[in-house]
Amino acid sequence: MLKHPKQGVFSCDSVLNDFIYTNMKDLFEHLLILRSPRIGPAAYNDLIRRFGSVGEIVAHLNVSDELRDSVSREIDLANRMNVHFISDMDDCYPPALKTVKNHPPILTARGNIDTLRCESVAMVGTRHATANGMEFVADMARAFAEHNIPVVSGMAMGTDAAAHIGALRAHGDTNTIAVLAGGVDYIWPLENEKLYYDIIERGVIVSEMPVGFIPKSTNFVQRNRIIAGIGSKLILSEADSNSGSMKTAEFAHAYNRTIYAIPSHPADSRAMGPNSLIRSGAAILCGGINDFFTEKNSVKNKEKNYESENPILDKIGTIPLSESVLAEIVGKNISEIKRELVILELQGLIRKTDNGYIRI
């Protein structure tokens, strides 16, 4: 385990394991490499292959006194804030992220680091989400957390915040993981300051950036790849076609994660991202939490005495879907859709609202 002269153990407090850092010198040298200019995970791995040991790499880099002082200050600051350094050789390192090529060799974490051990689900979407969209995401996040599956997101306004807040509504203290673009101590946006501290109490904040680091715009894309890597699956809510959330979906696809997309009205630009993934077959249409915990579906189907294979019924969930959207999803014309919707409504399986049909 990594020992710190002031605090003691600087890793997974609840588990005794063979941690990569046997002393402060090991941590210091690893951070000297990772904090050097133009050295990210790929360059780090290449240096390990070339030189074989961390000490040899440090000698080759001939790091400056300024960098040494900076790393020393980072370790001291982390100690004062109870921030953990987690290596990819440690049991606390997120298992799904470890399978990603060129994953971060070291993460910093603040909060309940046992949360990182669990299989988790990533939930992302636009900062400018609708009220209905955020409520839907929050309800799903709470259900995942109640099933002991932490929800991973980026703590941004809108969808991200709804995912974290929903997960925190469940009982327990391993409910959610927030991945930041800056250091784990840098709260952004400031409107989510309370949420930040709630997550520390009930989940964990993580980053690959140095403690004290203020993010730039490019760091948010780096953050998104970690969100996609930590989650064993990705759920995409409302998102514009060129949004950061769509970039997260691209990472998830590259990592062979299953992607689910929540459909929305095609006239809304926030529907372009998820609807396009559903249309192309890159994502599975997400109708709600019952898509993931089928025992609830079984009870519902038994009570209604209706075959669940009905293609239209399977696509209707708690978000209203219009006739035109349903027609596009199932590949039928409007007249066919209308006839089947009338039958489903008479059977008490769906209900028409001002914005479309929902399942009941």
Side-chain angles (χ1 to χ4, degrees):
M1 280 192 177
L2 169 63
K3 301 291 184 179
H4 193 283
K6 295 181 180 178
Q7 185 171 330
V9 178
F10 221 103
S11 178
C12 294
D13 298 330
S14 60
V15 176
L16 295 176
N17 53 19
D18 294 327
F19 194 54
I20 185 173
Y21 304 118
T22 57
N23 53 55
M24 287 301 298
K25 181 173 181 292
D26 290 333
L27 171 64
F28 186 75
E29 290 184 337
H30 274 86
L31 291 181
L32 281 178
I33 299 169
L34 289 170
R35 304 315 187 219
S36 294
R38 296 181 296 280
I39 295 183
Y44 173 89
N45 291 331
D46 181 61
L47 289 170
I48 291 292
R49 286 190 293 268
R50 287 171 56 192
F51 293 95
S53 74
V54 173
E56 289 294 327
I57 297 172
V58 172
H60 171 76
L61 292 176
N62 191 26
V63 296
S64 65
D65 291 339
E66 181 181 2
L67 180 58
R68 291 177 181 275
D69 290 342
S70 175
V71 170
S72 294
R73 288 194 299 272
E74 179 184 355
I75 294 173
D76 287 340
L77 179 59
N79 176 59
R80 294 195 299 271
M81 302 185 70
N82 197 26
V83 170
H84 306 265
F85 292 95
I86 301 176
S87 159
D88 59 2
M89 294 180 65
D90 185 55
D91 288 346
C92 291
Y93 197 91
L97 183 61
K98 193 180 295 187
T99 67
V100 173
K101 183 180 180 182
N102 293 327
H103 56 264
I106 295 176
L107 293 173
T108 54
R110 193 178 187 192
N112 184 357
I113 53 183
D114 282 335
T115 310
L116 298 173
R117 305 176 191 277
C118 307
E119 179 183 358
S120 57
V121 58
M123 300 184 72
V124 298
T126 180
R127 291 174 172 80
H128 309 290
T130 63
N132 285 338
M134 289 189 289
E135 181 182 1
F136 188 79
V137 165
D139 288 344
M140 287 192 67
R142 177 175 181 171
F144 277 114
E146 288 174 342
H147 283 78
N148 299 316
I149 300 174
V151 173
V152 188
S153 200
M155 214 185 81
M157 298 294 288
T159 303
D160 288 15
H164 293 304
I165 291 169
L168 291 170
R169 289 172 181 165
H171 295 294
D173 56 1
T174 57
N175 293 349
T176 192
I177 302 168
V179 185
L180 303 189
V184 290
D185 58 322
Y186 187 79
I187 303 174
W188 184 260
L190 291 177
E191 292 88 342
N192 282 342
E193 181 177 12
K194 181 181 183 302
L195 177 60
Y196 173 90
Y197 287 107
D198 287 344
I199 293 173
I200 289 176
E201 289 295 322
R202 304 278 306 285
V204 66
I205 306 281
V206 299
S207 176
E208 68 173 324
M209 296 301 171
V211 180
F213 182 81
I214 299 174
K216 303 175 183 178
S217 57
T218 54
N219 299 126
F220 288 90
V221 175
Q222 295 174 263
R223 184 254 339 243
N224 291 348
R225 90 183 196 285
I226 298 178
I227 293 173
I230 293 178
S232 60
K233 59 179 66 70
L234 173 74
I235 299 175
L236 176 69
S237 184
E238 299 164 315
D240 295 331
S241 56
N242 295 319
S243 64
S245 297
M246 287 293 285
K247 188 64 179 178
T248 307
E250 289 181 24
F251 286 125
H253 179 74
Y255 302 157
N256 294 316
R257 305 293 194 256
T258 302
I259 302 172
Y260 296 83
I262 301 170
S264 191
H265 196 284
D268 190 332
S269 63
R270 291 165 291 197
M272 294 181 66
N275 288 2
S276 66
L277 293 183
I278 294 168
R279 185 183 302 112
S280 68
I284 300 169
L285 187 148
C286 177
I289 199 64
N290 288 344
D291 292 349
F292 304 93
F293 304 107
T294 55
E295 69 274 8
K296 295 182 180 179
N297 277 336
S298 299
V299 172
K300 181 181 288 187
N301 291 336
K302 184 176 180 180
E303 291 175 350
K304 297 295 184 179
N305 192 27
Y306 191 87
E307 292 295 327
S308 64
E309 288 79 7
N310 183 290
I312 296 178
L313 182 61
D314 286 345
K315 299 300 183 289
I316 300 176
T318 58
I319 290 183
L321 292 177
S322 66
E323 295 170 352
S324 59
V325 171
L326 285 167
E328 181 178 356
I329 291 172
V330 301
K332 293 185 177 183
N333 59 49
I334 293 291
S335 60
E336 291 176 305
I337 289 292
K338 286 183 176 180
R339 286 195 299 270
E340 296 193 41
L341 289 173
V342 169
I343 294 172
L344 292 173
E345 193 169 8
L346 290 173
Q347 291 177 320
L349 297 170
I350 63 173
R351 177 167 59 87
K352 188 175 183 180
T353 69
D354 292 339
N355 296 320
Y357 291 87
I358 60 173
R359 191 164 179 170
I360 57 177

